[in-house]
Amino acid sequence: MAVQRFYLLLGIFIFVLCISNSTTVAPGDFDDECFDAITRIPVSPNEKVLLDTQDYQSQNLITHDGGSNIWKSVDFDGIDMGGTYNQWVDLDQGIVCRHRFQACDFENQPQKNWLITQYINISDNGVDELTIYMTFSSNTQCACQLSFSVWAYETNVINETGRVNNTSYSDTGVRLFHTTELGEQTTDSQRFTISSRGMYLSVVDGGSCTTVSRILVYYNVCPYQVVNMVVYPETVAPPFTNPQDRVVTGTCVNNSSPISGDLNQLECEVSGVWGDTQVMCSCNAGYENISGICEACMEGEYKALQGVDDKCIVCPENSNSTSVGALS
C-alpha cells in the first residue's frame, strides 16, 4: 500500500510539473534568435515590450480545443457551419519569427472568435497604462465588422481555467478599425488602463475576414541614460490619462560628485522622453575623466581638487606618489 501511494504521489507530481512546464509567461518566453531575424521590425527604446508576435519561433503559435501551444483560439459563439477559418488560425506555420493570424467567418453572424494570449507578467512598479499595436488587413468585401475589440482578464497569478472562461474578462474599451483599401494593411494602436501585475489579453473578432500580421503590447519608459556623468535609471513613464511628469533623482557615476551639490533631479515625461537638465557631476580629487569614467590617478600622478576637465598631474621632479588616487 505504501509503495502504491508513493507511485501515485509521484505520478501527480510529474503531471503537475508537466503542466507548469507547458505554461509560458510573457515577456520572458521570447526566442533570442528572433531578435536577429531579417524580417523583424525594431521597437523604440522608450517602449518596454511585454508581448510581440515577432518574438516566437514556434511553428504554430495558436492551439484549439485545449492544446499546448502558446496562444489559444476559442469560438465562444458556438456557431460553426464548417468554415475553414471559423476560428483564428496561424497562416505562417514553419516560418521563423513570423506569424499571421486569420479569422474568416462573416456569413454566420454574430461571431465571437477570441484569440487569447499566454499570461503576461508586469514586473515593473507603477505601470498603469498599456498600448496595444496591431497591423492587419481585410481580405474580402463584406457587410461585416471591420474592427476588433480587446478584452483583458487581469490577475496577479497564472490561471489557466479563468483564461478560457470569457466571463473572466472585461472590455478594455479598445476598438481597432480597418481604415485602408481591401487587401492593404492598417496599423492602429490604442491605450488602456490596468490595475494588476499581470493579465491575459484577447483580441475578439465579431465576424470578419481579416489577417493580423503583428500584435505588440508595451508601455512607455524613459530609458536608462547617463548625461553629464549623472546616471538616470529606466523609469516607467506616467500614463496619458494622468500626465504628471515623474521626477527621478539621478546618481553620479562612481568616484564623482555633483558640481553644484543639488539633487540631480530630472523629469520623465508622459511619452517616455527625458526632460532637459543642466546638472553635472565631475570626478573627485584623485580621479580624472576618461571617456565618462572616473579613473584613479596612477602612481606618480595626483589631482588635488574635484573638477570637470582637471586631469591627473605628473608629480614634480624629486617627488612621487606611492599609491593610485593620490591627492598631492
Side-chain angles (χ1 to χ4, degrees):
M1 180 65 70
V3 173
Q4 291 177 335
R5 190 175 205 180
F6 168 79
Y7 280 109
L8 176 61
L9 293 173
L10 179 62
I12 293 173
F13 171 77
I14 293 173
F15 173 78
V16 172
L17 181 63
C18 290
I19 290 295
S20 63
N21 285 343
S22 68
T23 302
T24 67
V25 177
D29 59 350
F30 62 86
D31 293 312
D32 290 330
E33 294 82 356
C34 290
F35 287 100
D36 298 323
I38 296 175
T39 57
R40 191 176 195 277
I41 303 171
V43 297
S44 168
N46 67 344
E47 295 171 356
K48 190 70 171 289
V49 175
L50 293 173
L51 184 71
D52 190 346
T53 52
Q54 294 185 147
D55 288 347
Y56 299 93
Q57 282 190 310
S58 172
Q59 292 186 347
N60 187 2
L61 202 61
I62 302 175
T63 190
H64 304 83
D65 304 322
S68 60
N69 292 0
I70 296 176
W71 288 25
K72 293 184 182 295
S73 175
V74 182
D75 184 9
F76 281 119
D77 59 76
I79 301 174
D80 183 1
M81 303 299 291
T84 305
Y85 300 126
N86 65 292
Q87 294 190 45
W88 290 94
V89 296
D90 192 340
L91 298 179
D92 289 319
Q93 299 180 28
I95 300 179
V96 174
C97 308
R98 178 180 175 185
H99 298 277
R100 290 182 303 153
F101 312 121
Q102 187 176 91
C104 194
D105 192 357
F106 56 88
E107 296 179 354
N108 307 303
Q109 300 286 350
Q111 288 291 313
K112 294 181 182 179
N113 300 320
W114 286 49
L115 179 60
I116 302 173
T117 70
Q118 72 274 54
Y119 185 73
I120 302 173
N121 182 56
I122 304 172
S123 58
D124 285 337
N125 294 320
V127 179
D128 305 313
E129 184 178 75
L130 300 180
T131 298
I132 184 167
Y133 166 109
M134 283 179 54
T135 301
F136 54 98
S137 59
S138 179
N139 303 321
T140 186
Q141 293 282 5
C142 64
C144 56
Q145 174 181 295
L146 294 178
S147 65
F148 301 103
S149 59
V150 177
W151 294 61
Y153 167 34
E154 293 195 38
T155 170
N156 292 325
V157 296
I158 295 173
N159 187 335
E160 289 296 295
T161 301
R163 176 190 185 189
V164 292
N165 183 347
N166 61 346
T167 62
S168 302
Y169 289 76
S170 299
D171 190 350
T172 65
V174 170
R175 297 294 183 272
L176 302 170
F177 292 91
H178 184 267
T179 57
T180 58
E181 298 294 328
L182 180 67
E184 296 182 359
Q185 288 190 334
T186 291
T187 296
D188 196 2
S189 63
Q190 288 186 27
R191 303 178 189 90
F192 60 97
T193 58
I194 58 168
S195 58
S196 300
R197 299 298 297 273
M199 66 176 58
Y200 298 94
L201 284 180
S202 178
V203 176
V204 180
D205 165 53
S208 69
C209 192
T210 304
T211 300
V212 176
S213 56
R214 190 184 190 190
I215 300 175
L216 178 67
V217 180
Y218 65 90
Y219 55 94
N220 287 115
V221 295
C222 292
Y224 170 92
Q225 69 169 7
V226 181
V227 178
N228 299 332
M229 300 182 70
V230 184
V231 179
Y232 297 98
E234 180 182 271
T235 301
V236 176
F240 281 77
T241 53
N242 183 23
Q244 182 70 39
D245 293 345
R246 289 177 173 164
V247 178
V248 179
T249 299
T251 57
C252 294
V253 300
N254 291 339
N255 304 310
S256 70
S257 302
I259 291 177
S260 59
D262 55 28
L263 297 178
N264 305 330
Q265 290 186 335
L266 188 60
E267 292 181 341
C268 175
E269 299 175 358
V270 68
S271 56
V273 176
W274 290 108
D276 296 326
T277 179
Q278 302 299 322
V279 175
M280 299 180 67
C281 294
S282 62
C283 294
N284 296 332
Y287 293 83
E288 65 177 341
N289 185 350
I290 306 296
S291 301
I293 299 175
C294 293
E295 301 279 4
C297 297
M298 300 175 62
E299 291 185 17
E301 298 179 342
Y302 73 99
K303 179 185 166 190
L305 301 173
Q306 176 188 349
V308 178
D309 300 320
D310 293 344
K311 297 294 183 181
C312 295
I313 301 171
V314 177
C315 295
E317 190 175 352
N318 300 320
S319 65
N320 191 27
S321 60
T322 58
S323 62
V324 297
L327 307 185
S328 60

